[in-house]
Amino acid sequence: MRIDFPVILGCSQQADPLRLPDGMCTFVRNSRPNNGNLRPMALRSTVASVPVGRRSIHRMRHSSGTAWLSWTQDMVHVISGFDREDTQNRLYFTGAAGGPRWADQTMAIATAPYPTTTRPLAVNAPISAPLLEIDDAGVSDTTETRYYVSTFVNDLGWESAPSPPAMIVCKTDAKIRIHGLEDAASGQSINRRRIYRTKTGTSSATEFFFLKELVYASGGQEWTEDGTALTNDVLVTAGTTTLGAWIPCPSDARFLTKLWNGMAAVIVGKSIRVCVANTLYAWPLDQEIVFADEPVGMATWGQNLLVLTKGATPSLITGQDPMSLSEQPLEGLPFNGACISPHSILSVGHGVVWAGPDGLNYYGSLGAKVLTAGIFEPDEWRRMGPENFHAGQFEGMVLMASSSMLVRETASTDVTAKLGLLVDPAATAGAFFIDVDGDVLHKDPITSELFCLDSTTGNITELQRNVGTYYGAAVAYSKEYRTPSGNLGYCRVLSKHYPVAVTLIGDGAVVDTITVTDDDVWNFVSGIECQSWQIKVEVAAATSTRPPQVTSVHLADDPMELLP
């Protein structure tokens, strides 16, 4: 009589342990996934440190290398811009103190901790209309109604929405003194002011043409028309609709997300708002979509934006430009689509994954499914604390990390620790648990390296792909096996590394634990007869030039059955 523990495919805690397929375990910790063996994960290496108490990190690339930006707020979302001529590696972000911000490498990494300085993602429009008076009445017999507006322009060429219009009736050749031009808000590096005017015969203030650009000066700047002709350059920052003005990103905007075709989106209250294409400082009100339930977060795949809310129905947003975006509520999903952790939202290239109330949800090109169905019961899932999960991606698998994850190791033993849950979104078989150093994750979009921040120490570690010479401890519990009553007292372990600890569990109780040091046949304590068996295999932390690998474990009631 013989039983074999031949391969490790992950764990499942939902099915009866006796009915699990070969290779499926009841618990696996720190074994590298998609390998088939019990192969310990490499120990994490500390790559950088930030101040203690930081809750968000981002690895910034600059002309001399990389630097770590960090914030005390835990919902900072960072994107790069769309300007191909940007040589200063500008980054844009929401969730930090002071509302939406931006920084380039000169500002961000002048002095640690980074970012050193940032600027508002805004060019505020003038609040007051300019004051007008006739300076030269002119000689024409024809009068007209003119409208004037002013705008601010910063050092990057970002232009604000226009001021309220000022109106005057005058002769067609009159020259107007434009004065009372207000001062710009501080901190926005305004260095120019532009004046626009309607053309002769225009009956409203909806079509403005460029008239004059002034070097910015505070203290009641003014300018008098001097014969400068109107150009054919139309004011664009007023937009084409009543709500189309290029106003700044709202101060309470969150979850800044890069889309496609030069677009980006933020969450504002119960809506999302999209910027003017390729213009991250302009967020018109007419480019807003309002939802029935408050959005929690969002993520993209391809040219699809999935907006997840506190309600059970997410929405899919599609379209080629800001004005053509449309919403499709995903009614009829085979699961509760609510999102219970904004940190758990993750784009995986072909879809989006997030923590729901009943499991780890997925929607994308592979359909709609609960990735943890068949692995964890909904009650077991909720015990793990998914509302605290932070998402990352490791070797193509979804990683949900928590600094205090509660998991079931055996029927009578729970473990609470800094753990990560690994699940393959494309071919879900079983799950793997791995040790992590914190719950703040950051994936480098270029190298795909995954980093983890321990907020209590400020240390940033990299989850290694089994490189180096230091490997952690790993453990796996096999499925349960049923045999006629007997004593499976002999054991053989095939491994590329020894020692290996093997615990024999019979009828739900520990029978014996032995330390195997080679591939010979070893024996457990004699005289124990059971009908239900389970194998626990452990590898201690080790220093090795190659990662330890336990290939298989075999039990028998006769040592001859275990010989090669």
Side-chain angles (χ1 to χ4, degrees), residues 289-454:
I289 299 174
V290 182
F291 300 88
D293 297 300
E294 181 181 346
V296 173
M298 52 190 171
T300 65
W301 84 96
Q303 294 193 2
N304 304 277
L305 174 66
L306 187 65
V307 179
L308 301 160
T309 72
K310 294 181 178 179
T313 305
S315 287
L316 188 64
I317 309 298
T318 57
Q320 294 302 306
D321 58 75
M323 297 303 293
S324 69
L325 294 178
S326 61
E327 175 201 5
Q328 176 190 352
L330 298 178
E331 299 173 344
L333 289 178
F335 52 80
N336 185 335
C339 178
I340 61 174
S341 169
H343 296 290
S344 71
I345 301 171
L346 178 70
S347 173
V348 292
H350 49 75
V352 175
V353 174
W354 70 98
D358 299 323
L360 188 61
N361 296 336
Y362 168 92
Y363 185 85
S365 59
L366 301 181
K369 54 186 176 179
V370 179
L371 299 178
T372 50
I375 300 176
F376 303 109
E377 292 280 3
D379 287 344
E380 191 74 30
W381 166 260
R382 289 188 281 269
R383 285 184 73 237
M384 295 165 64
E387 66 277 4
N388 300 315
F389 284 1
H390 287 233
Q393 197 167 11
F394 180 76
E395 296 187 348
M397 300 187 76
V398 174
L399 172 64
M400 292 289 158
S402 172
S403 59
S404 57
M405 188 181 296
L406 174 64
V407 299
R408 177 163 52 90
E409 182 171 347
T410 70
S412 59
T413 305
D414 288 334
V415 175
T416 301
K418 295 178 180 179
L419 291 174
L421 171 68
L422 283 168
V423 177
D424 188 339
T428 305
F432 293 79
F433 293 102
I434 62 171
D435 290 335
V436 295
D437 293 311
D439 59 2
V440 180
L441 302 179
H442 172 71
K443 180 182 177 182
D444 189 300
I446 295 178
T447 65
S448 296
E449 295 167 294
L450 184 63
F451 300 93
C452 183
L453 167 66
D454 183 346

Side-chain angles (χ1 to χ4, degrees), residues 1-6 478-483 486-494 501-506 511-514 516 520-525 530 532-537 552-563:
M1 182 170 57
R2 166 175 165 159
I3 61 175
D4 301 300
F5 185 15
S478 74
K479 60 173 283 186
E480 288 187 16
Y481 302 85
R482 177 78 67 178
T483 67
N487 179 16
L488 296 178
Y490 299 95
C491 170
R492 188 174 184 213
V493 177
L494 301 182
V502 181
T503 298
L504 181 62
I505 302 169
V511 173
D512 194 11
T513 298
I514 60 174
V516 176
D520 286 342
V521 176
W522 293 69
N523 60 285
F524 293 105
V525 65
C530 300
S532 175
W533 305 93
Q534 190 175 19
I535 306 167
K536 176 185 177 183
V537 186
S552 60
V553 179
H554 309 273
L555 303 181
D557 60 354
D558 183 342
M560 299 301 293
E561 293 188 60
L562 300 178
L563 295 178

Side-chain angles (χ1 to χ4, degrees), residues 7-312:
V7 67
I8 294 176
L9 301 176
C11 74
S12 172
Q13 298 185 344
Q14 180 169 352
D16 185 333
L18 284 168
R19 297 183 180 277
L20 291 174
D22 286 341
M24 192 62 67
C25 305
T26 60
F27 182 76
V28 182
R29 180 173 178 178
N30 271 349
S31 180
R32 184 183 178 188
N34 300 326
N35 181 263
N37 301 330
L38 182 64
R39 182 176 179 178
M41 297 283 291
L43 291 177
R44 284 83 59 203
S45 59
T46 300
V47 297
S49 295
V50 296
V52 172
R54 298 301 171 105
R55 294 291 303 161
S56 295
I57 56 175
H58 182 84
R59 192 187 196 189
M60 181 183 193
R61 278 184 158 72
H62 54 85
S63 56
S64 301
T66 60
W68 284 99
L69 312 186
S70 64
W71 297 267
T72 56
Q73 296 79 20
D74 70 350
M75 285 292 291
V76 177
H77 289 85
V78 185
I79 68 170
S80 57
F82 305 105
D83 185 356
R84 295 181 180 179
E85 298 181 359
D86 171 25
T87 61
Q88 291 295 306
N89 299 292
R90 287 196 293 269
L91 295 175
Y92 306 82
F93 46 93
T94 58
R101 315 286 292 182
W102 71 273
D104 61 25
Q105 63 184 30
T106 301
M107 298 157 53
I109 60 173
T111 306
Y114 309 135
T116 311
T117 58
T118 63
R119 281 170 49 178
L121 183 56
V123 182
N124 292 332
I127 298 174
S128 303
L131 301 178
L132 307 177
E133 67 178 54
I134 296 175
D135 181 74
D136 181 346
V139 297
S140 174
D141 294 330
T142 306
T143 62
E144 65 180 358
T145 300
R146 298 180 187 174
Y147 294 84
Y148 293 79
V149 295
S150 67
T151 66
F152 292 128
V153 183
N154 73 2
D155 55 339
L156 297 179
W158 297 356
E159 185 174 10
S160 74
S163 67
M167 183 269 286
I168 193 169
V169 178
C170 61
K171 293 181 179 181
T172 56
D173 59 347
K175 293 180 175 62
I176 306 301
R177 174 176 172 246
I178 304 155
H179 63 106
L181 296 171
E182 70 183 76
D183 292 348
S186 61
Q188 297 185 13
S189 297
I190 301 302
N191 62 7
R192 285 166 285 168
R193 192 192 303 268
R194 289 176 183 163
I195 298 173
Y196 293 82
R197 197 192 88 186
T198 53
K199 280 192 175 181
T200 302
T202 302
S203 59
S204 69
T206 58
E207 188 83 318
F208 288 91
F209 294 83
F210 175 71
L211 176 61
K212 182 68 175 180
E213 181 174 277
L214 306 175
V215 175
Y216 174 77
S218 59
Q221 188 172 15
E222 64 177 66
W223 177 72
T224 300
E225 289 180 306
D226 55 8
T228 300
L230 280 174
T231 71
N232 290 321
D233 296 328
V234 177
L235 172 68
V236 297
T237 62
T240 58
T241 69
T242 304
L243 301 176
W246 288 19
I247 60 176
C249 193
S251 60
D252 61 344
R254 53 194 172 89
F255 228 100
L256 178 61
T257 303
K258 199 170 187 177
L259 307 185
W260 52 93
N261 293 346
M263 295 184 289
V266 293
I267 296 175
V268 183
K270 293 186 69 174
S271 68
I272 66 162
R273 192 180 302 179
V274 180
C275 71
V276 174
N278 299 304
T279 313
L280 278 164
Y281 67 90
W283 300 80
L285 283 167
D286 63 359
Q287 295 177 186
E288 189 169 83
I289 299 174
V290 182
F291 300 88
D293 297 300
E294 181 181 346
V296 173
M298 52 190 171
T300 65
W301 84 96
Q303 294 193 2
N304 304 277
L305 174 66
L306 187 65
V307 179
L308 301 160
T309 72
K310 294 181 178 179

